Amino acid sequence: MLFAQTAEFLKGVVAMDGLPPADRVEVCFAGRSNVGKSSLINALTGRKGLARASNTPGRTQEINFFTLTEALYLVDLPGYGYAQAPLPVVEKWQRLLKAYLAGRATLRRAFVLIDARHGVKAPDEEIMALLDSSAVTFQAVLTKTDKVKGKDLDRVLNQVRAALSKHPAAFPELVLTSSEKGDGIATLRSLISGIG
């Protein structure tokens, strides 16, 4: 029922003082640049153009808030890792990302998106360690699973599970998704509905 309602873009935030009031539950999506965050948010909400998907990694340089109901924000965090932006700009929004994760009391869960073709990389480890230290529970969501088959997917799943086992804030269950094929979207909607 939650996702039957229309999601709306509320605002993009470039500094902590621009955050909307902490008056509802929030779930956020974190991931390396080009992991498919915008596509996943669009698939979840059933709105193709809600989050701006781009072939240029690092396009999301602000924290984007979407209202799903009066009880829930979906939050799209800036992509981390690789970005085609000047270093001072990258550093500025990395600081914003860390401040948000560490200081937002209404943040109930982070979904850490991991590209199924590559598995967990060093920047993912960094964000997971930050979530541990911020006491924010997180769940790994594998994206682009339709691009990986059989043994290759099994190998990546084993690598991701091993990485998650070292993080106390991590949920053990993985969610496997494909925004293109719609795989795992209903599962993720159900998880978010349970939080909100």
Side-chain angles (χ1 to χ4, degrees):
M1 286 306 296
L2 184 67
F3 284 90
Q5 301 177 58
T6 305
E8 299 290 346
F9 174 71
L10 177 67
K11 67 188 300 194
V13 174
V14 294
M16 288 295 284
D17 59 9
L19 292 176
D23 60 359
R24 64 194 76 185
V25 170
E26 295 173 22
V27 296
C28 71
F29 297 86
R32 278 182 287 128
S33 297
N34 222 23
V35 75
K37 265 192 299 97
S38 299
S39 299
L40 186 69
I41 290 169
N42 291 339
L44 275 173
T45 58
R47 292 197 53 200
K48 278 198 166 77
L50 184 65
R52 294 178 311 171
S54 169
N55 290 328
T56 308
R59 181 165 168 186
T60 306
Q61 295 185 12
E62 53 196 21
I63 298 177
N64 289 315
F65 281 80
F66 302 94
T67 55
L68 194 52
T69 64
E70 290 187 7
L72 183 73
Y73 284 131
L74 295 179
V75 185
D76 183 11
L77 299 179
Y80 52 82
Y82 173 80
Q84 289 179 327
L87 196 58
V89 173
V90 174
E91 285 173 348
K92 182 184 173 198
W93 47 266
Q94 299 294 38
R95 280 196 304 277
L96 174 63
L97 174 69
K98 289 174 181 177
Y100 168 77
L101 291 174
R104 193 71 167 167
T106 46
L107 178 60
R108 289 290 180 272
R109 186 168 313 167
F111 291 99
V112 176
L113 276 50
I114 294 164
D115 192 322
R117 298 170 300 178
H118 308 300
V120 173
K121 300 278 192 194
D124 300 312
E125 285 286 1
E126 197 179 308
I127 202 83
M128 289 191 270
L130 178 65
L131 289 161
D132 286 337
S133 65
S134 305
V136 175
T137 55
F138 69 88
Q139 191 155 10
V141 176
L142 269 72
T143 60
K144 308 182 185 186
T145 55
D146 56 309
K147 310 273 193 260
V148 190
K149 298 291 179 257
K151 286 182 184 167
D152 289 335
L153 184 57
D154 289 341
R155 183 181 45 76
V156 169
L157 289 174
N158 289 335
Q159 187 255 2
V160 172
R161 285 191 181 108
L164 290 175
S165 69
K166 300 173 197 147
H167 293 281
F171 273 74
E173 311 94 82
L174 302 176
V175 184
L176 278 59
T177 66
S178 162
S179 298
E180 252 178 55
K181 300 263 196 307
D183 301 343
I185 300 302
T187 303
L188 199 49
R189 282 177 178 163
S190 174
L191 282 168
I192 293 168
S193 297
I195 297 162

